[in-house]
Amino acid sequence: MQHLAIFGGTFDPIHWGHLLIAEMALSQVPLDQIIWVPSFNPPHKKAAPFEHRVKMLEITTRDNPGFTVSLVDSNRSGTSYAINTLIDLSAVYSNTHWYWILGLDTFQTLPRWYRRQELVQMCDWLIAPRQLDGDQAKSNIICQQVEQQLQQQSLTIHWQFLNIPLVGVSSSLIRKLSCQNQSIKYLVPEPVRFYITTNNLYSEKSE
């Protein structure tokens, strides 16, 4: 049986923080590969065009055999729910033990997710800490609270907190700096910085 992890997100753009989370997951959990799944039409967010976000993901991850990019969310109309992503990927990758990588703030919303009764027990959950909060004890308490909320819904969850060095970088910061024509060097991989500049992403004219 293979062990695969889904890492979903807007990735607008992908940055070193994302890559560090993925690499730490590979080193701390017995994973064969991480599948990056960019959101096709993210709810509640105005994002750069899907094709640009995919291209930045591909040029960043292509040299790591532990990474692959899936466009599974682009094959579906309407809102992309996590349960749909997992079901669709399970049809492609049979005989798989699944993991899902997500940030602590997103994990807190899990008890309200669509079809969580199925989803929660279909995979193990790998939790990345808040990028600007080094209080692991507090983070563990939050995870335990989520577990308790799910137990009240008669759901059992298996989760693990990833040990990740704090990196104070976010996609919103990168977009803001780009819009202000300030340097994003060392915040993103160089091919991503070049792609953003070449395609005039996140500038005032592109807003």
Side-chain angles (χ1 to χ4, degrees):
M1 177 177 286
Q2 60 184 341
H3 292 245
L4 302 177
I6 297 169
F7 193 0
T10 310
F11 303 119
D12 188 29
I14 184 174
H15 54 69
W16 286 119
H18 295 130
L19 291 161
L20 186 59
I21 289 170
E23 187 61 29
M24 291 298 98
L26 280 175
S27 67
Q28 295 172 27
V29 182
L31 298 173
D32 295 301
Q33 200 169 46
I34 290 176
I35 304 173
W36 298 73
V37 182
S39 302
F40 180 66
N41 188 19
H44 316 303
K45 285 186 178 182
K46 179 185 176 183
F50 183 68
E51 59 270 22
H52 285 312
R53 293 183 285 117
V54 167
K55 188 63 178 178
M56 288 187 284
L57 266 177
E58 290 176 342
I59 61 178
T60 303
T61 61
R62 63 189 173 195
D63 293 331
N64 190 327
F67 296 160
T68 188
V69 177
S70 171
L71 307 185
V72 64
D73 274 5
S74 66
N75 300 328
R76 206 182 306 112
S77 60
T79 304
S80 282
Y81 292 107
I83 184 67
N84 301 130
T85 300
L86 184 50
I87 289 173
D88 289 348
L89 286 175
S90 295
V92 178
Y93 300 92
S94 58
N95 194 33
T96 298
H97 184 104
W98 288 101
Y99 297 80
W100 197 291
I101 301 171
L102 74 174
L104 179 62
D105 289 335
T106 304
F107 183 62
Q108 279 188 277
T109 69
L110 185 58
R112 301 190 300 275
W113 282 21
Y114 175 67
R115 289 173 65 181
R116 59 193 171 278
Q117 296 87 348
E118 302 161 74
L119 179 65
V120 161
Q121 299 171 87
M122 289 174 67
C123 57
D124 290 357
W125 299 82
L126 305 178
I127 318 303
R130 292 186 178 117
Q131 301 225 326
L132 298 176
D133 186 355
D135 190 344
Q136 186 165 346
K138 178 181 176 182
S139 298
N140 274 316
I141 291 173
I142 291 174
C143 289
Q144 290 166 5
Q145 289 172 341
V146 171
E147 183 176 10
Q148 290 170 1
Q149 291 176 42
L150 292 169
Q151 285 175 347
Q152 291 170 2
Q153 302 177 31
S154 300
L155 299 176
T156 301
I157 187 170
H158 299 283
W159 61 272
Q160 175 180 335
F161 202 74
L162 296 172
N163 183 20
I164 299 172
L166 295 178
V167 179
V169 57
S170 67
S171 294
S172 59
L173 171 64
I174 293 163
R175 294 194 302 270
K176 179 180 178 181
L177 292 174
S178 296
C179 184
Q180 296 172 347
N181 201 29
Q182 296 186 40
S183 175
I184 58 171
K185 195 175 181 68
Y186 307 124
L187 295 177
V188 296
E190 187 59 20
V192 172
R193 188 190 70 82
F194 181 77
Y195 188 91
I196 290 172
T197 302
T198 302
N199 291 276
N200 198 34
L201 297 182
Y202 313 125
S203 70
E204 287 186 294
K205 292 180 181 179
S206 67
E207 290 295 322

PDB file of all heavy atoms in Angstrom, residues 65 69-70 75 121 129 132 149 199:
ATOM      1  N   PRO A  65      11.266  14.463  -6.856  1.00  0.00           N
ATOM      2  CA  PRO A  65      10.486  13.251  -7.147  1.00  0.00           C
ATOM      3  C   PRO A  65       9.408  12.962  -6.109  1.00  0.00           C
ATOM      4  O   PRO A  65       8.496  12.172  -6.365  1.00  0.00           O
ATOM      5  CB  PRO A  65      11.549  12.142  -7.159  1.00  0.00           C
ATOM      6  CG  PRO A  65      12.687  12.686  -6.352  1.00  0.00           C
ATOM      7  CD  PRO A  65      12.685  14.170  -6.590  1.00  0.00           C
ATOM      8  N   VAL A  69       1.969  17.416  -9.197  1.00  0.00           N
ATOM      9  CA  VAL A  69       0.861  18.371  -9.243  1.00  0.00           C
ATOM     10  C   VAL A  69      -0.327  17.716  -9.929  1.00  0.00           C
ATOM     11  O   VAL A  69      -0.186  17.103 -10.991  1.00  0.00           O
ATOM     12  CB  VAL A  69       1.261  19.658 -10.001  1.00  0.00           C
ATOM     13  CG1 VAL A  69       0.072  20.613 -10.104  1.00  0.00           C
ATOM     14  CG2 VAL A  69       2.431  20.344  -9.305  1.00  0.00           C
ATOM     15  N   SER A  70      -1.499  17.830  -9.321  1.00  0.00           N
ATOM     16  CA  SER A  70      -2.733  17.290  -9.897  1.00  0.00           C
ATOM     17  C   SER A  70      -3.687  18.426 -10.243  1.00  0.00           C
ATOM     18  O   SER A  70      -3.878  19.353  -9.456  1.00  0.00           O
ATOM     19  CB  SER A  70      -3.416  16.329  -8.915  1.00  0.00           C
ATOM     20  OG  SER A  70      -4.706  15.981  -9.383  1.00  0.00           O
ATOM     21  N   ASN A  75     -11.324  19.628 -13.248  1.00  0.00           N
ATOM     22  CA  ASN A  75     -12.223  18.745 -13.994  1.00  0.00           C
ATOM     23  C   ASN A  75     -13.648  18.790 -13.469  1.00  0.00           C
ATOM     24  O   ASN A  75     -14.492  18.006 -13.891  1.00  0.00           O
ATOM     25  CB  ASN A  75     -11.713  17.296 -13.933  1.00  0.00           C
ATOM     26  CG  ASN A  75     -10.319  17.156 -14.520  1.00  0.00           C
ATOM     27  OD1 ASN A  75      -9.960  17.872 -15.442  1.00  0.00           O
ATOM     28  ND2 ASN A  75      -9.522  16.244 -13.965  1.00  0.00           N
ATOM     29  N   GLN A 121     -12.669  10.381   8.199  1.00  0.00           N
ATOM     30  CA  GLN A 121     -12.172   9.032   8.447  1.00  0.00           C
ATOM     31  C   GLN A 121     -11.548   8.381   7.219  1.00  0.00           C
ATOM     32  O   GLN A 121     -11.134   7.229   7.275  1.00  0.00           O
ATOM     33  CB  GLN A 121     -13.328   8.185   9.001  1.00  0.00           C
ATOM     34  CG  GLN A 121     -13.847   8.750  10.316  1.00  0.00           C
ATOM     35  CD  GLN A 121     -15.123   8.104  10.821  1.00  0.00           C
ATOM     36  OE1 GLN A 121     -15.068   7.092  11.510  1.00  0.00           O
ATOM     37  NE2 GLN A 121     -16.270   8.699  10.506  1.00  0.00           N
ATOM     38  N   PRO A 129       1.762  24.347  11.621  1.00  0.00           N
ATOM     39  CA  PRO A 129       1.526  25.429  12.590  1.00  0.00           C
ATOM     40  C   PRO A 129       1.312  26.766  11.893  1.00  0.00           C
ATOM     41  O   PRO A 129       1.650  26.946  10.725  1.00  0.00           O
ATOM     42  CB  PRO A 129       2.827  25.445  13.404  1.00  0.00           C
ATOM     43  CG  PRO A 129       3.866  24.932  12.463  1.00  0.00           C
ATOM     44  CD  PRO A 129       3.161  23.891  11.626  1.00  0.00           C
ATOM     45  N   LEU A 132       3.380  32.451  12.086  1.00  0.00           N
ATOM     46  CA  LEU A 132       3.925  33.494  12.964  1.00  0.00           C
ATOM     47  C   LEU A 132       3.680  33.199  14.434  1.00  0.00           C
ATOM     48  O   LEU A 132       3.826  34.058  15.280  1.00  0.00           O
ATOM     49  CB  LEU A 132       3.309  34.855  12.592  1.00  0.00           C
ATOM     50  CG  LEU A 132       3.594  35.350  11.175  1.00  0.00           C
ATOM     51  CD1 LEU A 132       2.852  36.648  10.908  1.00  0.00           C
ATOM     52  CD2 LEU A 132       5.083  35.544  10.951  1.00  0.00           C
ATOM     53  N   GLN A 149     -14.664  18.225  19.222  1.00  0.00           N
ATOM     54  CA  GLN A 149     -15.859  18.644  18.483  1.00  0.00           C
ATOM     55  C   GLN A 149     -16.310  17.539  17.528  1.00  0.00           C
ATOM     56  O   GLN A 149     -17.514  17.293  17.372  1.00  0.00           O
ATOM     57  CB  GLN A 149     -15.568  19.919  17.696  1.00  0.00           C
ATOM     58  CG  GLN A 149     -15.368  21.166  18.552  1.00  0.00           C
ATOM     59  CD  GLN A 149     -14.992  22.368  17.715  1.00  0.00           C
ATOM     60  OE1 GLN A 149     -15.542  22.604  16.641  1.00  0.00           O
ATOM     61  NE2 GLN A 149     -14.030  23.140  18.194  1.00  0.00           N
ATOM     62  N   ASN A 199       5.123  37.853 -16.230  1.00  0.00           N
ATOM     63  CA  ASN A 199       3.700  37.857 -16.549  1.00  0.00           C
ATOM     64  C   ASN A 199       2.924  38.982 -15.866  1.00  0.00           C
ATOM     65  O   ASN A 199       1.692  39.009 -15.937  1.00  0.00           O
ATOM     66  CB  ASN A 199       3.089  36.499 -16.188  1.00  0.00           C
ATOM     67  CG  ASN A 199       3.563  35.385 -17.093  1.00  0.00           C
ATOM     68  OD1 ASN A 199       3.030  35.182 -18.179  1.00  0.00           O
ATOM     69  ND2 ASN A 199       4.594  34.662 -16.654  1.00  0.00           N
TER      70      ASN A 199
END
